[in-house]
Amino acid sequence: MKKIEQLWEEIELELAGAAPSGSGGGMLTRLATPDSDQRLRVGVEWPSRTRVLLFSANAAVLPPRASWPECRGLELVLDRGNGETATLMVRLRDSRGRDVFTALAEDLAKRAVGGSEAEAAHRVLSALARWQRFMAATGRSLSDEARRGLWGELKILEDLIAPITGIEAAVNSWRGPAGAPQDFQLAGVAIEVKTRATRSPAVVRISSEQQLHNAPWQNLFLAHVAVDEQDGAGETLPQRIAVVRTAVAGTAAAEIFEDGLIDVGWLEAEQEKHRARGFFLRELEFFRVVEGFPRLTPPVLPQGVGGLAYDLSLDAAEPYAVKADVIRDALESL
């Protein structure tokens, strides 16, 4: 099956080799995939050579324009045509965003296939809303630290939380990408995950005074994931993402998981560069955050002081270390 970028390049080559007949403008298109129920086409407008995506469905299943996402760098247009079928066109406004547009197209092509037209339309528009959030932060890319941190969070999600709560509840509890103080929040239990390379000092960065604040949690835990990193060996971040995707596929939490990946800055188009480096789990520690735990929280700060970030020595936290079973028991009691 041809990739989206290849299809666009073929269309552009055809346009460059022979100018389309007629003096007016127009568009050349191709099916995004060969699936029989494919509803997405890729195209190039002439004479502007603008790349577009075209999603076709019965006009009645497409929601009103006011409910569509406003995507930075993209233009969304609805062509109702003359019959029952309408076409949602997504046009790239700025050619500098081609790489991101290609990744978006690959994502939409998968979501436009299968189910009813209404279901496909919902999936496509939900994906566009997710990409809206990502494109609002264009220019960011996962750093080495962020790649390591995401791997560690997904490791905890899959190996510690999901076996107790089930994969849907585990993914639903992954709140860090949305800006919550702790990475995982369940009813009465919160878990903050810190992943560090074993070559670095035994120190983790606490990003706010709220991160280790107990309220409103009955149980607050800090998980420390220590890893070795090696090029060409170990489990890569794309592999870890694929494991969770497989586990959550077909559930209501699948879209929530994809939302989380976008929110942390994961871009499918960049996955190849993340395949080079793998991770080996070297140490996994857990700490219960209770009275006396070394931390800065709102109650101990002077009025008007906030927005803190500080380093926590894991040696200082050692008296509060607990076994993984303590966390499992807390999760099982929910």
Side-chain angles (χ1 to χ4, degrees):
M1 184 176 70
K2 294 181 179 178
K3 289 189 173 294
I4 298 292
E5 179 63 27
Q6 184 180 354
L7 291 172
W8 265 323
E9 290 175 352
E10 289 179 357
I11 295 172
E12 289 167 342
L13 185 62
E14 183 176 344
L15 288 173
S21 60
S23 57
M27 182 188 306
L28 288 180
T29 69
R30 300 281 189 278
L31 282 173
T33 73
D35 298 271
S36 59
D37 61 348
Q38 176 58 248
R39 305 178 180 97
L40 194 77
R41 301 180 72 89
V42 299
V44 177
E45 295 178 317
W46 79 77
S48 66
R49 302 297 196 267
T50 301
R51 291 183 172 186
V52 298
L53 295 169
L54 301 153
F55 174 77
S56 298
N58 189 294
V61 307
L62 291 174
R65 179 66 180 85
S67 66
W68 297 0
E70 292 293 338
C71 298
R72 171 182 168 184
L74 303 178
E75 180 182 5
L76 275 60
V77 179
L78 181 65
D79 180 5
R80 293 193 175 273
N82 297 321
E84 294 183 352
T85 299
T87 300
L88 169 63
M89 181 168 67
V90 185
R91 179 186 287 118
L92 177 63
R93 287 175 175 164
D94 188 342
S95 61
R96 291 174 297 182
R98 281 193 171 192
D99 288 346
V100 174
F101 195 50
T102 299
L104 181 153
E106 296 281 2
D107 186 31
L108 296 189
K110 292 183 293 186
R111 299 177 191 285
V113 176
S116 68
E117 287 188 340
E119 291 168 339
H122 173 75
R123 292 194 302 265
V124 166
L125 288 170
S126 295
L128 281 171
R130 189 161 55 244
W131 279 93
Q132 173 191 9
R133 295 199 303 277
F134 178 82
M135 295 179 76
T138 51
R140 69 178 181 178
S141 182
L142 282 179
S143 64
D144 290 347
E145 180 180 0
R147 176 174 59 216
R148 185 186 312 124
L150 179 54
W151 186 90
E153 289 176 28
L154 298 184
K155 185 73 173 175
I156 292 296
L157 185 155
E158 177 74 10
D159 292 358
L160 178 66
I161 302 175
I164 304 298
T165 67
I167 189 63
E168 288 190 71
V171 169
N172 286 330
S173 75
W174 188 35
R175 304 291 178 82
Q182 296 84 27
D183 293 310
F184 297 95
Q185 295 180 342
L186 300 98
V189 177
I191 305 171
E192 174 60 24
V193 182
K194 298 296 183 184
T195 306
R196 53 174 282 274
T198 53
R199 65 179 182 276
S200 63
V203 171
V204 294
R205 170 54 62 105
I206 306 302
S207 60
S208 77
E209 67 274 15
Q210 296 288 344
Q211 200 159 67
L212 298 183
H213 186 33
N214 293 80
W217 311 109
Q218 296 175 0
N219 293 281
L220 174 59
F221 299 98
L222 175 66
H224 165 228
V225 183
V227 297
D228 286 342
E229 300 177 61
Q230 186 175 334
D231 289 339
E235 184 186 64
T236 67
L237 179 56
Q239 288 173 328
R240 172 56 33 189
I241 289 174
V243 167
V244 180
R245 273 181 173 156
T246 299
V248 81
T251 72
E255 293 293 325
I256 295 173
F257 180 62
E258 297 300 328
D259 287 346
L261 291 177
I262 290 293
D263 286 340
V264 300
W266 170 256
L267 182 60
E268 288 295 306
E270 294 186 337
Q271 64 175 307
E272 286 305 317
K273 78 176 185 179
H274 295 300
R275 293 187 189 280
R277 175 155 295 190
F279 299 95
F280 294 93
L281 180 65
R282 292 307 182 202
E283 188 176 14
L284 187 56
E285 294 181 295
F286 301 101
F287 306 90
R288 187 196 290 271
V289 181
V290 293
E291 187 68 28
F293 191 93
R295 55 183 169 157
L296 293 173
T297 59
V300 304
L301 296 177
Q303 186 175 3
V305 176
L308 300 181
Y310 58 95
D311 291 334
L312 169 67
S313 167
L314 294 172
D315 290 339
E318 191 59 35
Y320 302 89
V322 296
K323 300 294 186 182
D325 285 344
V326 173
I327 301 180
R328 294 189 182 100
D329 289 343
L331 293 174
E332 288 175 345
S333 68
L334 296 178

